Every structure is written in C-alpha cells, then in structure tokens.
Amino acid sequence: DTEVTQTPKHLVMGMTNKKSLKCEQHMGHRAMYWYKQKAKKPPELMFVYSYEKLSINESVPSRFSPECPNSSLLNLHLHALQPEDSALYLCASSQDWYTGELFFGEGSRLTVL
Amino acid sequence: AQSVTQLGSHVSVSEGALVLLRCNYSSSVPPYLFWYVQYPNQGLQLLLKYTSAATLVKGINGFEAEFKKSETSFHLTKPSAHMRDAAEYFCAVSSNTGFQKLVFGTGTRLLVSP
C-alpha cells in the first residue's frame, strides 16, 4: 500500500480546460515532488517543494502551476495543456533533505485531447 | 554532475534463474545510489539504496546490489526470479553533498518466463 495518495487516477481534458491533480502524504515528510513520466521513459523532475517552499522548478511551462497548501498536500494546476503533455504524473515525498529515498504515489494518468 | 547508464533495455530470464540488471554510474563526488522498481500502471517503489555504508546492500523482495567503486558499478541481482518480479527497474544516483536532483537511468524491463 502506498502512503502517498494521488487523485484522480485518470484524467481526460481538453486543451482549454482547467483541472488539478492532488497529492497527499501523512508520513511527516517535508519535501514533495512532481514528476512527469512518458511511456517507456524514466520519470522527469518538474518541481520540488521543501518545507512548503518551491525549491526547484525544472523550467516547466507556465501551463503547469504547482501549489503546496501545507506540508501534507501538493497540487498541480493544469491549464491550456497540449496533447504532448499527456503522461503519467507522479507525486513523491521524502523525509526532508534530498537523499533520493523517495516515496511515490501511483500516479495520475493524464490524457489531453 | 551525476549520471547512470543501464545496459540493456530488456532482460529476459526464466523463472528460478539468476537476475542481473546492470548499472554504471558517473559522479564527481561520492554518490548515493538507488534501485527503484515500477510495476505496470503503478508508481515507483524503492528496492534498495547505497549511502556509503556497507558496499553490499540488501533490499526488499530478495534483491541485492553491490557497490564497486573501481568499476563504478551498482548492479542489481536476485538469485532466483519469480514471475512477480516482471517490472521496469530504474537505477538512480544523487549526490551526498546537499540538495541535488535524483537522476534516473533509462530503465530495464525484466521479463520472466515460466
């Protein structure tokens, strides 16, 4: 059982829609991450929050907007996406310092029409 | 900068056979090394990690890996494959010198036949 919960598991949206992906963890972790994974590829880092502050933005287009309301929650707001943004979006958390021991959710599979 | 190279995008074994998945790293500083597993339609799960303690690291599900500095390798092994081991395996590296990005290899798909 994963301790990082992501909703929704599947999302289909048009290019003009606004939607959000949600992630929650109750392990007391202070760092949270968004990754994007295309089919048959490794995950690519998008954003890192450490102690609820955005620490890393890997030059992600502004149509992706992260938000960390508190230490347990992480959102990814989506607007005006492109079909090439279709992918599995993975949320992860770690205790605090970035040592690579990440706990991943099962992901939200996004399809942009 | 750190990087990892996984040799072989696919590895096929028979059930009960030895599993060997290869990973070589490049790092200018002492690395932290990891193996993650991803089952179909799921997120990644940590199998094991090397953080400069013992060079032979034991993980979950009977997997282990050996850190060999002279060969810059961190190969993953399991003595006897099970059907349930069929998955994608990612080697990853990060630095032990602060807030650094975790860098994944391209992955190796393990296929297990009866």
mmCIF file of all heavy atoms in Angstrom, chain B residues 60-104:
data_model
loop_
_atom_site.group_PDB
_atom_site.id
_atom_site.type_symbol
_atom_site.label_atom_id
_atom_site.label_comp_id
_atom_site.label_asym_id
_atom_site.label_seq_id
_atom_site.Cartn_x
_atom_site.Cartn_y
_atom_site.Cartn_z
ATOM 1 N N ILE B 60 14.465 -5.179 -0.650
ATOM 2 C CA ILE B 60 13.236 -5.935 -0.480
ATOM 3 C C ILE B 60 13.096 -6.986 -1.569
ATOM 4 O O ILE B 60 13.798 -6.929 -2.598
ATOM 5 C CB ILE B 60 12.001 -5.005 -0.484
ATOM 6 C CG1 ILE B 60 11.885 -4.272 -1.837
ATOM 7 C CG2 ILE B 60 12.073 -4.012 0.663
ATOM 8 C CD1 ILE B 60 10.599 -3.486 -1.986
ATOM 9 N N ASN B 61 12.210 -7.942 -1.347
ATOM 10 C CA ASN B 61 11.871 -8.964 -2.343
ATOM 11 C C ASN B 61 13.071 -9.812 -2.778
ATOM 12 O O ASN B 61 13.069 -10.361 -3.881
ATOM 13 C CB ASN B 61 11.224 -8.331 -3.588
ATOM 14 C CG ASN B 61 9.967 -7.547 -3.251
ATOM 15 O OD1 ASN B 61 9.327 -7.775 -2.226
ATOM 16 N ND2 ASN B 61 9.614 -6.604 -4.104
ATOM 17 N N GLY B 62 14.081 -9.933 -1.927
ATOM 18 C CA GLY B 62 15.220 -10.798 -2.217
ATOM 19 C C GLY B 62 16.283 -10.200 -3.115
ATOM 20 O O GLY B 62 17.223 -10.888 -3.516
ATOM 21 N N PHE B 63 16.162 -8.926 -3.462
ATOM 22 C CA PHE B 63 17.152 -8.266 -4.302
ATOM 23 C C PHE B 63 18.322 -7.745 -3.476
ATOM 24 O O PHE B 63 18.165 -7.402 -2.304
ATOM 25 C CB PHE B 63 16.515 -7.096 -5.065
ATOM 26 C CG PHE B 63 15.646 -7.523 -6.216
ATOM 27 C CD1 PHE B 63 14.283 -7.701 -6.049
ATOM 28 C CD2 PHE B 63 16.210 -7.740 -7.473
ATOM 29 C CE1 PHE B 63 13.486 -8.107 -7.105
ATOM 30 C CE2 PHE B 63 15.418 -8.138 -8.533
ATOM 31 C CZ PHE B 63 14.061 -8.323 -8.357
ATOM 32 N N GLU B 64 19.478 -7.674 -4.118
ATOM 33 C CA GLU B 64 20.634 -7.042 -3.507
ATOM 34 C C GLU B 64 21.488 -6.404 -4.597
ATOM 35 O O GLU B 64 21.345 -6.719 -5.788
ATOM 36 C CB GLU B 64 21.457 -8.031 -2.682
ATOM 37 C CG GLU B 64 22.079 -9.161 -3.445
ATOM 38 C CD GLU B 64 22.873 -10.090 -2.523
ATOM 39 O OE1 GLU B 64 22.441 -10.321 -1.377
ATOM 40 O OE2 GLU B 64 23.916 -10.579 -2.968
ATOM 41 N N ALA B 65 22.355 -5.489 -4.179
ATOM 42 C CA ALA B 65 23.238 -4.816 -5.129
ATOM 43 C C ALA B 65 24.568 -4.574 -4.445
ATOM 44 O O ALA B 65 24.632 -4.376 -3.232
ATOM 45 C CB ALA B 65 22.632 -3.502 -5.588
ATOM 46 N N GLU B 66 25.631 -4.575 -5.248
ATOM 47 C CA GLU B 66 26.969 -4.363 -4.718
ATOM 48 C C GLU B 66 27.576 -3.114 -5.329
ATOM 49 O O GLU B 66 27.631 -2.980 -6.562
ATOM 50 C CB GLU B 66 27.870 -5.562 -4.988
ATOM 51 C CG GLU B 66 29.232 -5.425 -4.310
ATOM 52 C CD GLU B 66 30.065 -6.692 -4.412
ATOM 53 O OE1 GLU B 66 29.663 -7.637 -5.114
ATOM 54 O OE2 GLU B 66 31.137 -6.732 -3.785
ATOM 55 N N PHE B 67 28.027 -2.213 -4.478
ATOM 56 C CA PHE B 67 28.700 -1.002 -4.926
ATOM 57 C C PHE B 67 30.177 -1.336 -5.160
ATOM 58 O O PHE B 67 30.874 -1.788 -4.246
ATOM 59 C CB PHE B 67 28.584 0.088 -3.865
ATOM 60 C CG PHE B 67 29.364 1.338 -4.169
ATOM 61 C CD1 PHE B 67 28.953 2.203 -5.156
ATOM 62 C CD2 PHE B 67 30.522 1.638 -3.447
ATOM 63 C CE1 PHE B 67 29.668 3.353 -5.433
ATOM 64 C CE2 PHE B 67 31.241 2.786 -3.714
ATOM 65 C CZ PHE B 67 30.813 3.655 -4.707
ATOM 66 N N LYS B 68 30.639 -1.128 -6.395
ATOM 67 C CA LYS B 68 32.041 -1.374 -6.736
ATOM 68 C C LYS B 68 32.618 -0.078 -7.286
ATOM 69 O O LYS B 68 32.405 0.275 -8.456
ATOM 70 C CB LYS B 68 32.163 -2.497 -7.762
ATOM 71 C CG LYS B 68 31.799 -3.866 -7.215
ATOM 72 C CD LYS B 68 32.101 -4.959 -8.231
ATOM 73 C CE LYS B 68 31.817 -6.334 -7.651
ATOM 74 N NZ LYS B 68 32.108 -7.418 -8.619
ATOM 75 N N LYS B 69 33.382 0.599 -6.440
ATOM 76 C CA LYS B 69 33.931 1.888 -6.839
ATOM 77 C C LYS B 69 34.904 1.758 -7.997
ATOM 78 O O LYS B 69 34.917 2.582 -8.903
ATOM 79 C CB LYS B 69 34.623 2.537 -5.633
ATOM 80 C CG LYS B 69 35.125 3.936 -5.890
ATOM 81 C CD LYS B 69 35.733 4.531 -4.634
ATOM 82 C CE LYS B 69 36.251 5.941 -4.902
ATOM 83 N NZ LYS B 69 36.846 6.533 -3.672
ATOM 84 N N SER B 70 35.705 0.699 -7.976
ATOM 85 C CA SER B 70 36.724 0.519 -9.022
ATOM 86 C C SER B 70 36.090 0.323 -10.395
ATOM 87 O O SER B 70 36.689 0.656 -11.415
ATOM 88 C CB SER B 70 37.615 -0.675 -8.698
ATOM 89 O OG SER B 70 36.834 -1.857 -8.623
ATOM 90 N N GLU B 71 34.871 -0.200 -10.414
ATOM 91 C CA GLU B 71 34.172 -0.442 -11.675
ATOM 92 C C GLU B 71 33.061 0.580 -11.908
ATOM 93 O O GLU B 71 32.371 0.490 -12.922
ATOM 94 C CB GLU B 71 33.578 -1.863 -11.683
ATOM 95 C CG GLU B 71 34.624 -2.961 -11.558
ATOM 96 C CD GLU B 71 34.013 -4.353 -11.505
ATOM 97 O OE1 GLU B 71 32.795 -4.486 -11.706
ATOM 98 O OE2 GLU B 71 34.766 -5.313 -11.242
ATOM 99 N N THR B 72 32.889 1.487 -10.991
ATOM 100 C CA THR B 72 31.773 2.462 -10.993
ATOM 101 C C THR B 72 30.459 1.763 -11.336
ATOM 102 O O THR B 72 29.694 2.212 -12.190
ATOM 103 C CB THR B 72 32.036 3.639 -11.964
ATOM 104 O OG1 THR B 72 32.157 3.158 -13.295
ATOM 105 C CG2 THR B 72 33.267 4.410 -11.555
ATOM 106 N N SER B 73 30.217 0.659 -10.628
ATOM 107 C CA SER B 73 29.010 -0.125 -10.919
ATOM 108 C C SER B 73 28.165 -0.315 -9.669
ATOM 109 O O SER B 73 28.656 -0.232 -8.536
ATOM 110 C CB SER B 73 29.377 -1.480 -11.505
ATOM 111 O OG SER B 73 30.017 -2.292 -10.537
ATOM 112 N N PHE B 74 26.913 -0.598 -9.918
ATOM 113 C CA PHE B 74 25.951 -0.879 -8.837
ATOM 114 C C PHE B 74 24.905 -1.822 -9.427
ATOM 115 O O PHE B 74 23.743 -1.481 -9.583
ATOM 116 C CB PHE B 74 25.330 0.426 -8.332
ATOM 117 C CG PHE B 74 24.529 0.286 -7.063
ATOM 118 C CD1 PHE B 74 25.096 -0.208 -5.901
ATOM 119 C CD2 PHE B 74 23.197 0.692 -7.022
ATOM 120 C CE1 PHE B 74 24.357 -0.318 -4.728
ATOM 121 C CE2 PHE B 74 22.446 0.587 -5.853
ATOM 122 C CZ PHE B 74 23.031 0.082 -4.710
ATOM 123 N N HIS B 75 25.320 -3.016 -9.769
ATOM 124 C CA HIS B 75 24.442 -3.983 -10.423
ATOM 125 C C HIS B 75 23.461 -4.614 -9.430
ATOM 126 O O HIS B 75 23.810 -4.898 -8.282
ATOM 127 C CB HIS B 75 25.261 -5.092 -11.085
ATOM 128 C CG HIS B 75 26.232 -4.595 -12.111
ATOM 129 N ND1 HIS B 75 26.042 -3.438 -12.834
ATOM 130 C CD2 HIS B 75 27.426 -5.111 -12.530
ATOM 131 C CE1 HIS B 75 27.042 -3.254 -13.652
ATOM 132 N NE2 HIS B 75 27.913 -4.249 -13.489
ATOM 133 N N LEU B 76 22.268 -4.873 -9.912
ATOM 134 C CA LEU B 76 21.187 -5.460 -9.100
ATOM 135 C C LEU B 76 21.089 -6.947 -9.404
ATOM 136 O O LEU B 76 21.095 -7.342 -10.582
ATOM 137 C CB LEU B 76 19.861 -4.777 -9.438
ATOM 138 C CG LEU B 76 18.627 -5.224 -8.651
ATOM 139 C CD1 LEU B 76 18.708 -4.747 -7.205
ATOM 140 C CD2 LEU B 76 17.360 -4.680 -9.315
ATOM 141 N N THR B 77 20.997 -7.761 -8.359
ATOM 142 C CA THR B 77 20.896 -9.203 -8.558
ATOM 143 C C THR B 77 19.814 -9.805 -7.669
ATOM 144 O O THR B 77 19.433 -9.233 -6.643
ATOM 145 C CB THR B 77 22.227 -9.920 -8.256
ATOM 146 O OG1 THR B 77 22.578 -9.678 -6.884
ATOM 147 C CG2 THR B 77 23.345 -9.430 -9.151
ATOM 148 N N LYS B 78 19.346 -10.974 -8.118
ATOM 149 C CA LYS B 78 18.441 -11.792 -7.316
ATOM 150 C C LYS B 78 18.720 -13.238 -7.707
ATOM 151 O O LYS B 78 18.776 -13.550 -8.900
ATOM 152 C CB LYS B 78 16.985 -11.430 -7.582
ATOM 153 C CG LYS B 78 16.007 -12.242 -6.732
ATOM 154 C CD LYS B 78 14.583 -11.763 -6.893
ATOM 155 C CE LYS B 78 13.638 -12.595 -6.016
ATOM 156 N NZ LYS B 78 12.233 -12.134 -6.098
ATOM 157 N N PRO B 79 18.938 -14.115 -6.748
ATOM 158 C CA PRO B 79 19.351 -15.473 -7.084
ATOM 159 C C PRO B 79 18.334 -16.257 -7.911
ATOM 160 O O PRO B 79 18.708 -17.044 -8.771
ATOM 161 C CB PRO B 79 19.537 -16.133 -5.701
ATOM 162 C CG PRO B 79 19.713 -15.014 -4.753
ATOM 163 C CD PRO B 79 18.909 -13.881 -5.296
ATOM 164 N N SER B 80 17.036 -16.022 -7.644
ATOM 165 C CA SER B 80 16.011 -16.840 -8.285
ATOM 166 C C SER B 80 14.811 -15.970 -8.645
ATOM 167 O O SER B 80 14.129 -15.451 -7.751
ATOM 168 C CB SER B 80 15.584 -17.967 -7.340
ATOM 169 O OG SER B 80 14.541 -18.737 -7.901
ATOM 170 N N ALA B 81 14.566 -15.820 -9.924
ATOM 171 C CA ALA B 81 13.487 -14.949 -10.382
ATOM 172 C C ALA B 81 12.116 -15.565 -10.162
ATOM 173 O O ALA B 81 11.930 -16.783 -10.302
ATOM 174 C CB ALA B 81 13.667 -14.636 -11.867
ATOM 175 N N HIS B 82 11.155 -14.703 -9.827
ATOM 176 C CA HIS B 82 9.753 -15.093 -9.734
ATOM 177 C C HIS B 82 8.977 -14.350 -10.803
ATOM 178 O O HIS B 82 9.389 -13.279 -11.254
ATOM 179 C CB HIS B 82 9.185 -14.740 -8.352
ATOM 180 C CG HIS B 82 9.745 -15.545 -7.237
ATOM 181 N ND1 HIS B 82 9.234 -16.762 -6.849
ATOM 182 C CD2 HIS B 82 10.805 -15.311 -6.430
ATOM 183 C CE1 HIS B 82 9.938 -17.235 -5.835
ATOM 184 N NE2 HIS B 82 10.898 -16.372 -5.561
ATOM 185 N N MET B 83 7.853 -14.902 -11.181
ATOM 186 C CA MET B 83 7.012 -14.242 -12.175
ATOM 187 C C MET B 83 6.647 -12.832 -11.728
ATOM 188 O O MET B 83 6.566 -11.914 -12.538
ATOM 189 C CB MET B 83 5.740 -15.058 -12.428
ATOM 190 C CG MET B 83 5.977 -16.436 -13.019
ATOM 191 S SD MET B 83 6.632 -16.367 -14.693
ATOM 192 C CE MET B 83 5.207 -15.745 -15.577
ATOM 193 N N ARG B 84 6.445 -12.670 -10.426
ATOM 194 C CA ARG B 84 6.018 -11.355 -9.916
ATOM 195 C C ARG B 84 7.124 -10.307 -9.995
ATOM 196 O O ARG B 84 6.881 -9.136 -9.731
ATOM 197 C CB ARG B 84 5.540 -11.485 -8.471
ATOM 198 C CG ARG B 84 6.599 -11.962 -7.502
ATOM 199 C CD ARG B 84 6.089 -11.998 -6.066
ATOM 200 N NE ARG B 84 7.081 -12.551 -5.150
ATOM 201 C CZ ARG B 84 7.112 -13.829 -4.794
ATOM 202 N NH1 ARG B 84 6.201 -14.679 -5.268
ATOM 203 N NH2 ARG B 84 8.036 -14.260 -3.956
ATOM 204 N N ASP B 85 8.355 -10.717 -10.347
ATOM 205 C CA ASP B 85 9.458 -9.749 -10.485
ATOM 206 C C ASP B 85 9.410 -9.015 -11.820
ATOM 207 O O ASP B 85 10.176 -8.062 -12.028
ATOM 208 C CB ASP B 85 10.807 -10.452 -10.353
ATOM 209 C CG ASP B 85 11.015 -11.039 -8.969
ATOM 210 O OD1 ASP B 85 10.537 -10.445 -7.989
ATOM 211 O OD2 ASP B 85 11.658 -12.114 -8.887
ATOM 212 N N ALA B 86 8.536 -9.443 -12.716
ATOM 213 C CA ALA B 86 8.440 -8.784 -14.015
ATOM 214 C C ALA B 86 7.988 -7.343 -13.824
ATOM 215 O O ALA B 86 6.902 -7.086 -13.288
ATOM 216 C CB ALA B 86 7.462 -9.535 -14.906
ATOM 217 N N ALA B 87 8.826 -6.414 -14.228
ATOM 218 C CA ALA B 87 8.578 -4.991 -13.991
ATOM 219 C C ALA B 87 9.661 -4.182 -14.681
ATOM 220 O O ALA B 87 10.579 -4.741 -15.292
ATOM 221 C CB ALA B 87 8.569 -4.692 -12.488
ATOM 222 N N GLU B 88 9.574 -2.856 -14.530
ATOM 223 C CA GLU B 88 10.614 -1.952 -15.014
ATOM 224 C C GLU B 88 11.479 -1.578 -13.823
ATOM 225 O O GLU B 88 10.967 -1.265 -12.740
ATOM 226 C CB GLU B 88 9.982 -0.694 -15.611
ATOM 227 C CG GLU B 88 10.946 0.229 -16.327
ATOM 228 C CD GLU B 88 11.192 -0.185 -17.775
ATOM 229 O OE1 GLU B 88 10.356 -0.923 -18.324
ATOM 230 O OE2 GLU B 88 12.229 0.228 -18.333
ATOM 231 N N TYR B 89 12.793 -1.626 -14.025
ATOM 232 C CA TYR B 89 13.728 -1.327 -12.948
ATOM 233 C C TYR B 89 14.569 -0.116 -13.338
ATOM 234 O O TYR B 89 15.138 -0.061 -14.431
ATOM 235 C CB TYR B 89 14.625 -2.535 -12.660
ATOM 236 C CG TYR B 89 13.863 -3.686 -12.032
ATOM 237 C CD1 TYR B 89 13.101 -4.546 -12.828
ATOM 238 C CD2 TYR B 89 13.890 -3.902 -10.663
ATOM 239 C CE1 TYR B 89 12.371 -5.589 -12.256
ATOM 240 C CE2 TYR B 89 13.183 -4.946 -10.087
ATOM 241 C CZ TYR B 89 12.420 -5.784 -10.893
ATOM 242 O OH TYR B 89 11.714 -6.812 -10.322
ATOM 243 N N PHE B 90 14.641 0.846 -12.415
ATOM 244 C CA PHE B 90 15.396 2.072 -12.653
ATOM 245 C C PHE B 90 16.531 2.184 -11.637
ATOM 246 O O PHE B 90 16.299 2.097 -10.434
ATOM 247 C CB PHE B 90 14.504 3.304 -12.532
ATOM 248 C CG PHE B 90 13.465 3.432 -13.602
ATOM 249 C CD1 PHE B 90 12.150 3.031 -13.361
ATOM 250 C CD2 PHE B 90 13.777 3.966 -14.837
ATOM 251 C CE1 PHE B 90 11.189 3.149 -14.339
ATOM 252 C CE2 PHE B 90 12.817 4.085 -15.832
ATOM 253 C CZ PHE B 90 11.515 3.676 -15.585
ATOM 254 N N CYS B 91 17.714 2.419 -12.131
ATOM 255 C CA CYS B 91 18.844 2.788 -11.303
ATOM 256 C C CYS B 91 18.861 4.308 -11.209
ATOM 257 O O CYS B 91 18.486 4.995 -12.168
ATOM 258 C CB CYS B 91 20.134 2.268 -11.940
ATOM 259 S SG CYS B 91 21.626 2.595 -11.009
ATOM 260 N N ALA B 92 19.274 4.847 -10.067
ATOM 261 C CA ALA B 92 19.287 6.296 -9.909
ATOM 262 C C ALA B 92 20.444 6.713 -9.021
ATOM 263 O O ALA B 92 20.913 5.949 -8.168
ATOM 264 C CB ALA B 92 17.964 6.782 -9.320
ATOM 265 N N VAL B 93 20.898 7.950 -9.212
ATOM 266 C CA VAL B 93 22.033 8.475 -8.458
ATOM 267 C C VAL B 93 21.721 9.884 -7.982
ATOM 268 O O VAL B 93 21.034 10.650 -8.656
ATOM 269 C CB VAL B 93 23.320 8.474 -9.332
ATOM 270 C CG1 VAL B 93 23.169 9.399 -10.532
ATOM 271 C CG2 VAL B 93 24.548 8.876 -8.510
ATOM 272 N N SER B 94 22.178 10.198 -6.791
ATOM 273 C CA SER B 94 22.155 11.582 -6.346
ATOM 274 C C SER B 94 23.452 11.850 -5.607
ATOM 275 O O SER B 94 24.226 10.934 -5.319
ATOM 276 C CB SER B 94 20.950 11.865 -5.446
ATOM 277 O OG SER B 94 21.117 11.264 -4.176
ATOM 278 N N SER B 95 23.683 13.102 -5.310
ATOM 279 C CA SER B 95 24.887 13.479 -4.599
ATOM 280 C C SER B 95 24.627 13.460 -3.099
ATOM 281 O O SER B 95 23.503 13.654 -2.655
ATOM 282 C CB SER B 95 25.312 14.880 -5.023
ATOM 283 O OG SER B 95 26.282 15.389 -4.132
ATOM 284 N N ASN B 96 25.685 13.221 -2.332
ATOM 285 C CA ASN B 96 25.533 13.294 -0.873
ATOM 286 C C ASN B 96 25.977 14.656 -0.347
ATOM 287 O O ASN B 96 26.279 14.811 0.813
ATOM 288 C CB ASN B 96 26.316 12.165 -0.198
ATOM 289 C CG ASN B 96 27.830 12.327 -0.378
ATOM 290 O OD1 ASN B 96 28.268 13.220 -1.081
ATOM 291 N ND2 ASN B 96 28.590 11.465 0.255
ATOM 292 N N THR B 97 26.032 15.631 -1.253
ATOM 293 C CA THR B 97 26.523 16.955 -0.841
ATOM 294 C C THR B 97 25.425 17.991 -0.932
ATOM 295 O O THR B 97 25.628 19.075 -1.443
ATOM 296 C CB THR B 97 27.712 17.373 -1.723
ATOM 297 O OG1 THR B 97 27.294 17.359 -3.101
ATOM 298 C CG2 THR B 97 28.871 16.438 -1.539
ATOM 299 N N GLY B 98 24.264 17.633 -0.481
ATOM 300 C CA GLY B 98 23.227 18.643 -0.378
ATOM 301 C C GLY B 98 22.051 18.410 -1.291
ATOM 302 O O GLY B 98 21.830 17.300 -1.758
ATOM 303 N N PHE B 99 21.340 19.441 -1.547
ATOM 304 C CA PHE B 99 20.069 19.362 -2.261
ATOM 305 C C PHE B 99 20.332 19.147 -3.745
ATOM 306 O O PHE B 99 20.588 20.077 -4.487
ATOM 307 C CB PHE B 99 19.298 20.657 -2.042
ATOM 308 C CG PHE B 99 17.819 20.508 -2.297
ATOM 309 C CD1 PHE B 99 16.968 20.197 -1.263
ATOM 310 C CD2 PHE B 99 17.303 20.660 -3.560
ATOM 311 C CE1 PHE B 99 15.609 20.057 -1.473
ATOM 312 C CE2 PHE B 99 15.939 20.520 -3.791
ATOM 313 C CZ PHE B 99 15.098 20.214 -2.741
ATOM 314 N N GLN B 100 20.306 17.913 -4.162
ATOM 315 C CA GLN B 100 20.643 17.587 -5.543
ATOM 316 C C GLN B 100 19.529 16.782 -6.176
ATOM 317 O O GLN B 100 18.823 16.045 -5.513
ATOM 318 C CB GLN B 100 21.943 16.776 -5.590
ATOM 319 C CG GLN B 100 23.156 17.520 -5.083
ATOM 320 C CD GLN B 100 23.585 18.594 -6.049
ATOM 321 O OE1 GLN B 100 23.277 18.529 -7.226
ATOM 322 N NE2 GLN B 100 24.284 19.591 -5.552
ATOM 323 N N LYS B 101 19.430 16.912 -7.460
ATOM 324 C CA LYS B 101 18.397 16.206 -8.193
ATOM 325 C C LYS B 101 18.735 14.726 -8.281
ATOM 326 O O LYS B 101 19.888 14.346 -8.486
ATOM 327 C CB LYS B 101 18.301 16.803 -9.592
ATOM 328 C CG LYS B 101 17.169 16.234 -10.417
ATOM 329 C CD LYS B 101 16.965 17.054 -11.690
ATOM 330 C CE LYS B 101 18.116 16.952 -12.652
ATOM 331 N NZ LYS B 101 17.791 17.622 -13.938
ATOM 332 N N LEU B 102 17.731 13.887 -8.128
ATOM 333 C CA LEU B 102 17.878 12.455 -8.331
ATOM 334 C C LEU B 102 17.849 12.196 -9.833
ATOM 335 O O LEU B 102 16.905 12.600 -10.506
ATOM 336 C CB LEU B 102 16.734 11.711 -7.647
ATOM 337 C CG LEU B 102 16.769 10.185 -7.678
ATOM 338 C CD1 LEU B 102 17.931 9.661 -6.868
ATOM 339 C CD2 LEU B 102 15.460 9.622 -7.150
ATOM 340 N N VAL B 103 18.885 11.548 -10.350
ATOM 341 C CA VAL B 103 18.992 11.294 -11.787
ATOM 342 C C VAL B 103 18.722 9.820 -12.049
ATOM 343 O O VAL B 103 19.417 8.950 -11.513
ATOM 344 C CB VAL B 103 20.393 11.681 -12.300
ATOM 345 C CG1 VAL B 103 20.509 11.365 -13.784
ATOM 346 C CG2 VAL B 103 20.654 13.161 -12.045
ATOM 347 N N PHE B 104 17.736 9.550 -12.879
ATOM 348 C CA PHE B 104 17.351 8.172 -13.194
ATOM 349 C C PHE B 104 18.053 7.688 -14.457
ATOM 350 O O PHE B 104 18.323 8.461 -15.384
ATOM 351 C CB PHE B 104 15.844 8.083 -13.437
ATOM 352 C CG PHE B 104 15.009 8.170 -12.189
ATOM 353 C CD1 PHE B 104 14.479 9.388 -11.778
ATOM 354 C CD2 PHE B 104 14.748 7.037 -11.430
ATOM 355 C CE1 PHE B 104 13.705 9.470 -10.631
ATOM 356 C CE2 PHE B 104 13.971 7.114 -10.285
ATOM 357 C CZ PHE B 104 13.455 8.335 -9.882
#
